[in-house]
Amino acid sequence: MLKLKGKTAVVTGAGSGIGRAIAVSLARPNCHLALADIDDAALARTAADIAGSEASATLRISRHRLDVSDRVAVAALPAQVIAEHGGADIVVNNAGVALGGTFLEVAEGDFDWLFGINFWGVVQMTARSCRSCKRARKRGWSTFRACSA
């Protein structure tokens, strides 16, 4: 079991669903949060709900509007997390999307969109976060990929 008190976690897709639930769960043992999502309004609600809960007054929460398929934005996130939290101990690559329809019904551009988020988003987040945050913390880190069907 990870000791989460005082650690910092980056959670993508934190505005709703599984990402929101992960963020709320991480806050309970006083794990600091860098919340990321493409939906800024949903992200603000998640942060406000956590801040208004039983979370400790010392809990640090930062919000980052982020499209994980945008390589430039993903590359900029670790520096923002380092500036606000000193680095990250945990990266939860939760942001993801799904498509409906048969193979022949789904357009090639839709597959590009899906892979940009579900595959390249994870690769870029993991690579950028591992390099930057490991250097900033000079200690171990963990990365997780969450998904649902």
Side-chain angles (χ1 to χ4, degrees):
M1 182 72 170
L2 289 172
K3 294 183 181 182
L4 299 172
K5 183 175 183 174
K7 302 286 187 180
T8 298
V10 176
V11 182
T12 66
S16 63
I18 294 170
R20 178 185 170 88
I22 290 169
V24 168
S25 294
L26 288 168
R28 285 188 189 117
N30 205 29
C31 181
H32 305 297
L33 300 168
L35 305 176
D37 200 287
I38 195 168
D39 184 342
D40 197 43
L43 193 58
R45 285 190 297 275
T46 297
D49 288 349
I50 292 170
S53 70
E54 298 173 18
S56 168
T58 61
L59 182 68
R60 289 189 315 271
I61 303 171
S62 61
R63 293 188 344 237
H64 308 270
R65 188 193 178 287
L66 179 70
D67 176 352
V68 297
S69 69
D70 179 342
R71 291 176 184 225
V72 173
V74 169
L77 182 64
Q80 296 167 11
V81 173
I82 290 167
E84 295 195 40
H85 298 277
D89 302 288
I90 301 162
V91 176
V92 181
N93 284 306
N94 172 72
V97 295
L99 293 172
T102 66
F103 183 80
L104 295 176
E105 292 171 336
V106 177
E108 186 176 332
D110 291 335
F111 282 115
D112 290 339
W113 172 73
L114 180 126
F115 274 86
I117 296 167
N118 294 356
F119 178 74
W120 288 114
V122 173
V123 169
Q124 291 297 313
M125 277 294 301
T126 303
R128 298 293 183 162
S129 297
C130 292
R131 289 182 191 120
S132 297
C133 292
K134 188 172 182 182
R135 270 189 305 240
R137 288 280 194 208
K138 293 184 176 44
R139 63 181 181 199
W141 50 269
S142 299
T143 184
F144 300 95
R145 171 68 181 138
C147 62
S148 64

